[in-house]
Amino acid sequence: MSETEQPTNDQKKNFTRVLLEELSSQSVLIPILAVITGLIIGAFIIILTTEEVYEAWATSPWESIKVGWSAVNNAYTALFTSAIGSPTRIINALQSGDSLEIRRAFNPFLESLVASTPYIFAGLSVALGFRSGLFNVGAEGQLFMGAIFAAFVGYSVKGLPMIIHLPLALLAGALGGAIWGFIPGWLKAKTGGHEVINTIMLNYIAFRLSEWLLSGPMKRPETFNPVSPTIEESAMLPRFFENPIRFHAGFFVALGVAWLVYWFLFRTKWGFDLRTVGANPHAARYAGMNIVWVTILAMSLSGALSGLAGANEVLGVNHNLALAFSAGYGFDAIALALLGKSHPFGVVLAALLFGTLRSGALGMQLAAGIPIDIISVLQALILAFIAAPAIIRTIYRLKPSASGEDGVMLRGWGEG
Amino acid sequence: MATTTLQTTNGVYVSPTRQRVMGILFLVIAFAIWGFFGRTTPSGETTTFGLTPGGIESTVGDWEIPALATMNILAMISAVFGGIQLARGFGKRTNAVLGIVAAFFIFSFLTWAAAGKSLNLAGLLNSSLSKAVPITLGALSGLLCERAGVVNIAIEGMMLAGAMMGALIASLTDNLWLGVLAAVLTGALLSVVHAIFSIKYMIDQIISGTVINIFSVGITSYISAKFLQEYQELNNPGIFRPWPVPVLSDIPVIGPIVFNNNMFVYAMFAFLIIIHVALFYTRWGLRLRSVGEHPRAADTLGINVFRTRYMAVILGGMMAGFGGAYFTLGSVGRFDEVMTAGRGFIGLAAMIFGNWKPFGSFGAGLLFGFADSLASKLAILGVNIPSQFLLMAPYVATMIVLAGVVGRGQVPAADGQPYVKE
């Protein structure tokens, strides 16, 4: 690639114009409609699985509709108040002036941010892969490796000041993930082994590895439970408020990393290479780009980001490594990377949405008796609608996008 | 990936590098048997293998072998194979010899682990076969789809949904066969979604598969938490009992292991044969494979690419649903959340390991099932290897195969690529 081909296009467009273009095209409209449609279908699932609806059917269909509506209303109200907070409770708390009550009233919103943080990292990881034409299904395994490395540095290194220990633990997490990303990247570049299969295999290898480590080498000596020792205080991501608020510095680290990924992808030569290989590997090869290097780099970086997600959970929330601590962040990350159009800022927004949904669903389970698993169903539906915009266009009678095909297509399966 | 195989006078072409790598591998295995197992076994110890699975009246006695001598003999034969391979090569029989040497290694391991003790070999093989059933059925599901050019990573999700619906319907109707039917239809339904997404809307097939996997985990866990746990009678289907095949089950050793199982094991063998014959010896199979290799050419010849792919994906989904039913109706007798625990993905791995062939997949499934059942025996035998490493073995092995160390796999050339009619 010649030096004159710097990524100037993105820089020259001014921000508001880009924003307007994005809004007027359907790239923002479709994700929003996808989320709304997902919630509507979720409502129908709630209605269909509420027994009272069928009991009310005996009285009259109208009664049954009313019961169904109130079930959905209860569920989504509970979802909202446990994700954002209840306005009345916040006002009451502020009036009472009791600091514990104020913290409790604001906690749902902050808890959603806590839940969003690993999603941001993992979403960035998958998005970076997509940008370079690679499908990283291995975010979950990389996340476990990151957590293992971060936890190990967190509890075994002692006596360091926080300013050294915390970054060291975070970097260790990134390294753990990067190794788990490097392997499929290297295999893809050197042998043509498809990264989807290899990352799936590595996911399970990582689970087993953590299982083994927690059954012996990394187990807390004094317990029978498969859990690692608590990390040193100097390695914990600092929290900003007292209990019960778990909101910690990891959220800002995630935002910073999102900006870094943006800068890397759109402002550096390596990022440009990466996107070119993703957009058209043949053209990239023709332009003399080193595809082997770019593939390895992209997978390693992608792994490092997922590793940070695991490190964030260990250093910020759990303060130890436990079996199966991840709630499938790595798989949800695929959905939210697509929802965010594989753009770092889009990913942040999508992650906030998913984090809010997940943290709200926990409250919904307690308050309205709707199992939290409905969230996975919603996420699957949203993912389906994003991946197949034609469905959304048909439902809402939208015209096909002017900017051409907007689906995601990756490098072929069989080709090396 | 090129699927051409260069023909030589010897049959299939084996590159000189591969010939050397294999030769060295055989020697390494020979050395490992001698070094790791042989040298740590005191001479004079015998290993006792039980030849009748537990719970059945024993008709044959135990098999006692001198541990050290057995290992030394196996090591020597492996070394001789290595020498021959380096000197002139086994040609097209290389992989077969690799299989034999690998079997020697495993047998030496068992002999070593059980030296001075006794190990129920028949029970181990019987449970390997049972564990191979869902893996093989999953592999067959993936195979049907991928031979027609559609990647299916949703086997796991289809199995999980099939397992739940099987348990639910069998409990409701009190009829196991209706449960199986429900499971198969559930798999088919999800595969229709996969087919429409990947063939009609041309969504990336991995994304489509991911959608189905996330959806299945979500909806089955949702229904399980909401209904199955509360009303136990909805989750009490019972299971298919073992049915000894007349005459065949009386064969010594093999009979109790292979011919005294439940319906799923026999069905797996039947499907293996049917799919193998259908794919490679019928016009239908030739058409299906041509769609997976070169859809444009197939289209030109008048084959309906879309219809063929729909059919293949739906058949694959039915197979996955049937495999899912094994968990609830053939093994556990109830549905638990996320009970497939990655078996669908191991099935995918078995398909790759088995080189996109039915019997290859079965072999891989058997091997992975063996690793699985051996893992639970290690602690009993007092072997100091963490069982997790054995459970990792299938995944590592698949990655090695995928990297082309054991020769290039024959990936269907158009695998994963949507077809656009001109």
Side-chain angles (χ1 to χ4, degrees):
Chain A
M1 180 189 100
S2 69
E3 284 303 309
T4 50
E5 276 183 77
Q6 286 295 325
T8 50
N9 255 357
D10 300 297
Q11 289 165 328
K12 281 184 180 164
K13 276 186 189 171
N14 84 37
F15 184 74
T16 46
R17 224 185 81 209
V18 173
L19 193 73
L20 279 175
E21 264 176 30
E22 292 273 302
L23 280 175
S24 59
S25 80
Q26 293 167 2
S27 61
V28 171
L29 190 60
I30 288 193
I32 293 172
L33 288 176
V35 172
I36 293 172
T37 317
L39 286 170
I40 292 172
I41 297 181
F44 278 107
I45 293 176
I46 291 173
I47 292 173
L48 287 178
T49 53
T50 305
E51 295 140 68
E52 288 80 11
V53 173
Y54 298 102
E55 285 160 19
W57 188 261
T59 326
S60 75
W62 175 241
E63 190 63 24
S64 142
I65 290 170
K66 267 202 330 214
V67 171
W69 170 252
S70 85
V72 169
N73 193 24
N74 279 344
Y76 282 169
T77 308
L79 181 76
F80 182 83
T81 51
S82 16
I84 311 286
S86 138
T88 49
R89 186 170 182 194
I90 291 174
I91 292 166
N92 288 340
L94 286 175
Q95 279 167 350
S96 74
D98 177 15
S99 69
L100 178 67
E101 186 51 36
I102 293 177
R103 285 205 299 276
R104 278 190 184 146
F106 279 102
N107 193 29
F109 173 68
L110 292 168
E111 193 59 27
S112 292
L113 296 185
V114 172
S116 303
T117 312
Y119 275 134
I120 299 179
F121 286 117
L124 288 171
S125 160
V126 179
L128 190 92
F130 278 147
R131 283 282 171 180
S132 41
L134 295 163
F135 202 142
N136 183 8
V137 196
E140 189 78 0
Q142 292 148 10
L143 192 145
F144 267 85
M145 293 309 287
I148 291 170
F149 274 56
F152 182 74
V153 170
Y155 74 75
S156 66
V157 179
K158 291 187 167 72
L160 286 180
M162 180 192 252
I163 195 116
I164 301 173
H165 196 181
L166 178 57
L168 196 68
L170 279 172
L171 280 178
L175 177 71
I179 294 173
W180 233 234
F182 169 82
I183 298 171
W186 185 84
L187 285 171
K188 166 92 174 183
K190 291 290 187 184
T191 72
H194 201 280
E195 78 276 6
V196 168
I197 303 289
N198 279 328
T199 48
I200 290 173
M201 299 301 130
L202 282 168
N203 279 342
Y204 285 97
I205 296 175
F207 300 153
R208 297 297 183 196
L209 199 63
S210 71
E211 216 175 284
W212 171 65
L213 286 171
L214 287 175
S215 74
M218 280 178 77
K219 193 165 80 81
R220 192 180 294 191
E222 68 268 25
T223 65
F224 287 108
N225 298 332
V227 63
S228 82
T230 308
I231 59 169
E232 295 286 303
E233 210 154 301
S234 53
M236 292 180 187
L237 283 158
R239 291 181 177 174
F240 297 104
F241 305 99
E242 289 168 45
N243 277 340
I245 298 181
R246 302 193 296 171
F247 184 63
H248 59 87
F251 181 69
F252 298 106
V253 177
L255 292 184
V257 168
W259 186 83
L260 261 180
V261 170
Y262 170 76
W263 174 81
F264 170 79
L265 275 177
F266 297 101
R267 295 281 183 274
T268 66
K269 182 181 168 296
W270 280 3
F272 179 71
D273 286 5
L274 207 138
R275 284 184 297 131
T276 312
V277 170
N280 191 338
H282 301 292
R285 189 175 287 130
Y286 195 67
M289 288 176 188
N290 187 344
I291 305 227
V292 167
W293 157 246
V294 168
T295 304
I296 294 175
L297 175 75
M299 278 309 286
S300 305
L301 284 178
S302 178
L305 288 166
S306 288
L308 279 174
N312 171 78
E313 287 302 276
V314 166
L315 305 177
V317 182
N318 302 332
H319 295 160
N320 59 39
L321 178 70
L323 267 187
F325 70 93
S326 161
Y329 295 117
F331 299 113
D332 296 346
I334 298 166
L336 69 92
L338 288 172
L339 186 58
K341 295 272 157 191
S342 299
H343 190 288
F345 301 150
V347 165
V348 171
L349 291 179
L352 287 173
L353 175 75
F354 273 36
T356 309
L357 281 179
R358 185 156 287 279
S359 125
L362 209 60
M364 183 166 76
Q365 182 167 1
L366 295 174
I370 306 291
I372 190 170
D373 310 286
I374 188 95
I375 289 305
S376 297
V377 177
L378 288 186
Q379 282 168 347
L381 290 171
I382 293 172
L383 175 54
F385 295 143
I386 298 290
I391 301 175
I392 289 290
R393 287 208 199 93
T394 318
I395 298 175
Y396 296 98
R397 310 250 179 275
L398 298 175
K399 289 196 190 79
S401 160
S403 58
E405 197 40 60
D406 42 5
V408 179
M409 203 63 223
L410 299 148
R411 274 190 251 168
W413 191 258
E415 64 181 285
Chain B
M1 189 182 297
T3 50
T4 44
T5 40
L6 297 172
Q7 297 291 317
T8 63
T9 46
N10 203 9
V12 183
Y13 173 79
V14 178
S15 76
T17 332
R18 223 190 112 206
Q19 182 187 329
R20 237 171 291 137
V21 169
M22 283 298 174
I24 292 168
L25 183 70
F26 297 166
L27 288 179
V28 167
I29 290 178
F31 182 79
I33 295 175
W34 173 76
F36 293 142
F37 303 145
R39 279 163 55 95
T40 51
T41 310
S43 62
E45 277 199 342
T46 52
T47 302
T48 312
F49 287 123
L51 293 181
T52 314
I56 298 174
E57 200 181 326
S58 178
T59 52
V60 279
D62 289 346
W63 184 29
E64 286 180 25
I65 50 171
L68 189 59
T70 308
M71 283 182 259
N72 283 340
I73 292 169
L74 293 180
M76 260 187 298
I77 301 176
S78 301
V80 170
F81 279 154
I84 297 175
Q85 174 72 10
L86 282 178
R88 60 176 193 90
F90 281 102
K92 67 174 177 180
R93 282 182 292 273
T94 302
N95 277 348
V97 177
L98 175 68
I100 295 171
V101 173
F104 283 180
F105 180 79
I106 293 171
F107 189 74
S108 302
F109 171 79
L110 292 178
T111 312
W112 168 75
K117 284 169 270 189
S118 111
L119 170 73
N120 190 344
L121 190 63
L124 191 64
L125 292 177
N126 188 247
S127 96
S128 306
L129 183 63
S130 306
K131 288 188 193 241
V133 170
I135 300 174
T136 308
L137 290 171
L140 287 177
S141 163
L143 186 106
L144 283 167
C145 299
E146 299 211 0
R147 279 287 182 177
V150 179
V151 170
N152 184 5
I153 66 160
I155 304 167
E156 175 84 5
M158 293 173 183
M159 277 189 165
L160 191 60
M164 194 209 72
M165 284 306 279
L168 185 64
I169 299 298
S171 307
L172 281 175
T173 60
D174 208 14
N175 185 331
L176 289 172
W177 290 100
L178 283 178
V180 172
L181 184 70
V184 169
L185 290 179
T186 308
L189 191 69
L190 286 176
S191 68
V192 169
V193 175
H194 185 51
I196 291 176
F197 275 9
S198 49
I199 300 168
K200 178 154 187 254
Y201 288 110
M202 287 186 280
I203 297 176
D204 187 281
Q205 295 164 7
I206 307 292
I207 293 175
S208 169
T210 308
V211 168
I212 293 172
N213 282 337
I214 298 180
F215 179 81
S216 283
V217 170
I219 199 80
T220 54
S221 303
Y222 178 83
I223 293 176
S224 169
K226 184 116 184 145
F227 299 112
L228 298 189
Q229 283 166 13
E230 199 170 334
Y231 307 103
Q232 287 296 325
E233 66 272 19
L234 290 180
N235 194 10
N236 188 19
I239 58 172
F240 282 97
R241 295 281 156 210
W243 179 73
V245 182
V247 185
L248 289 179
S249 61
D250 296 331
I251 303 173
V253 188
I254 297 171
I257 296 175
V258 180
F259 297 109
N260 187 20
N261 288 298
N262 67 24
M263 178 275 284
F264 285 95
V265 175
Y266 308 131
M268 175 190 73
F269 283 119
F271 284 133
L272 270 175
I273 295 166
I274 293 170
I275 291 176
H276 178 79
V277 171
L279 271 184
F280 299 104
Y281 298 100
T282 67
R283 192 187 298 173
W284 178 86
L286 184 66
R287 288 182 173 170
L288 192 142
R289 285 183 293 132
S290 73
V291 165
E293 295 288 348
H294 202 314
R296 176 89 53 222
D299 196 5
T300 313
L301 291 172
I303 298 170
N304 189 334
V305 175
F306 297 117
R307 202 174 64 201
T308 311
R309 284 193 168 176
Y310 270 109
M311 183 189 58
V313 172
I314 292 169
L315 282 177
M318 293 165 88
M319 191 62 73
F322 182 75
Y326 170 80
F327 290 94
T328 44
L329 306 179
S331 164
V332 179
R334 116 191 133 255
F335 179 79
D336 298 322
E337 286 179 28
V338 207
M339 74 186 302
T340 45
R343 279 333 185 294
F345 287 117
I346 299 197
L348 191 72
M351 176 199 71
I352 296 164
F353 201 89
N355 207 0
W356 283 264
K357 292 193 174 105
F359 282 97
S361 305
F362 170 62
L366 209 52
L367 198 64
F368 295 171
F370 179 77
D372 199 348
S373 31
L374 188 60
S376 54
K377 287 258 163 93
L378 279 181
I380 305 168
L381 286 170
V383 178
N384 214 0
I385 301 171
S387 62
Q388 286 89 359
F389 285 97
L390 259 183
L391 295 173
M392 271 181 214
Y395 309 113
V396 178
T398 303
M399 289 176 69
I400 293 172
V401 166
L402 205 59
V405 180
V406 206
R408 273 276 163 231
Q410 301 194 339
V411 195
D415 209 3
Q417 293 161 11
Y419 179 64
V420 190
K421 207 172 162 74
E422 276 178 348

